Amino acid sequence: MISAFVHLFHPHHSNNHRPHLLHPQGIAVLVAIFLFTNSSLKLLAQVRGGVLGYASSITPQSVLDELNTKRIEAGLKPLGLNDRLNQAATMKASDMFTLNYWAHNNPNGKEPWDFIKAAGYRYRYAGENLARDFGDTDSLIDAWMASPTHKDNIVNPRYQETGIAVVNGTLQGIETTLVVNLFGTPAVSLPQISGIQTPVQAQEIVTITTAAAISSPPAISPLLLEKVIAVSIISLVLLTLLWDTLHSSKLRLVRLVGKNPAHILFLLTVLLVVIFSQAGGLL
């Protein structure tokens, strides 16, 4: 056991003073392990109700609560939940799954406002946010708030009501959960908002991100597990490189290989990107 450890991680005469983990064969094995575990997690994640799954605590109520928290912090009134906007949001999510598209307009040219009208909601102002592949409501709302245009939908003083749908399905070959969040103000006589002179029929501010949810969140999220595996592998190689650098400097070894400092800097950059990357993205 000790000899195997030395062979893999410690510069020694048995490995020509270069840890075998840093040899091309060692790197290839690590890449193969990552690809295998990543593929396995994606397969397991498609098993609903199992230990593994694209875990999410996102619910319509949690989205509503977070939206209203942001509005109250901005000095605005909270949004009311409207049944017809809920219906429109559900219709939009179903349409995306049925026609297999990821956009605010469907392939036939149908716009978000068409779903709102079809649900019987007559609006003065309307907007839409979409999401997929976020693991929790906080990260979802944070992503929306980090983008000025998406934030405008959430803290828009024109909006008075909202509708939210969280729907599971398969989109473009991947099992996921879509979050559709519609905003609206009914087309009835409303108090004039200071500074707003001309009504806007439909304010199109759409967030396309990613979030998945199951009815009962499992104990382990593959999204997090994939990141943990990637960070672990990169950290292992990085630490081995650091130890190899220190040891070779001490022994004044001369090698016909790339410079360790350059490799270390590259791996540090990759590690930071992986650690701070988010599951979802904005469009």
Side-chain angles (χ1 to χ4, degrees), residues 153-234:
N153 244 7
I154 296 174
V155 295
N156 193 322
R158 292 188 176 102
Y159 297 141
Q160 295 185 347
E161 298 175 326
T162 188
I164 304 165
V166 181
V167 185
N168 296 322
T170 300
L171 185 66
Q172 298 171 341
I174 299 174
E175 285 199 13
T176 187
T177 299
L178 296 181
V179 180
V180 178
N181 184 198
L182 297 176
F183 302 84
T185 297
V188 295
S189 179
L190 299 170
Q192 182 67 31
I193 300 175
S194 176
I196 298 175
Q197 301 297 328
T198 305
V200 178
Q201 181 65 16
Q203 182 171 346
E204 182 181 331
I205 304 174
V206 182
T207 299
I208 299 181
T209 56
T210 57
I214 57 176
S215 57
S216 178
I220 304 174
S221 167
L223 294 174
L224 177 60
L225 205 52
E226 287 175 10
K227 179 178 285 191
V228 169
I229 292 171
V231 169
S232 299
I233 290 176
I234 295 171

Side-chain angles (χ1 to χ4, degrees), residues 108-184:
N108 300 323
K110 195 171 185 178
E111 298 180 321
W113 335 122
D114 295 320
F115 295 98
I116 294 175
K117 294 173 184 176
Y121 187 87
R122 296 182 63 250
Y123 62 89
R124 188 181 184 189
Y125 308 107
E128 178 187 66
N129 282 355
L130 303 177
R132 59 178 284 189
D133 290 347
F134 279 100
D136 58 82
T137 306
D138 287 340
S139 61
L140 168 62
I141 300 299
D142 287 345
W144 280 342
M145 293 296 290
S147 171
T149 54
H150 308 137
K151 178 180 178 180
D152 285 346
N153 244 7
I154 296 174
V155 295
N156 193 322
R158 292 188 176 102
Y159 297 141
Q160 295 185 347
E161 298 175 326
T162 188
I164 304 165
V166 181
V167 185
N168 296 322
T170 300
L171 185 66
Q172 298 171 341
I174 299 174
E175 285 199 13
T176 187
T177 299
L178 296 181
V179 180
V180 178
N181 184 198
L182 297 176
F183 302 84

Side-chain angles (χ1 to χ4, degrees), residues 16 22-24 46 51 57 62 110 149 152 191 222 241 247:
N16 198 25
L22 303 181
H23 289 192
Q46 296 179 6
V51 175
S57 58
S62 67
K110 195 171 185 178
T149 54
D152 285 346
L241 269 172
H247 187 76

Side-chain angles (χ1 to χ4, degrees), residues 41-48 52-54 173-175:
L41 286 172
K42 287 182 178 179
L43 289 174
L44 289 172
Q46 296 179 6
V47 181
R48 296 292 180 181
L52 294 175
Y54 280 108
I174 299 174
E175 285 199 13

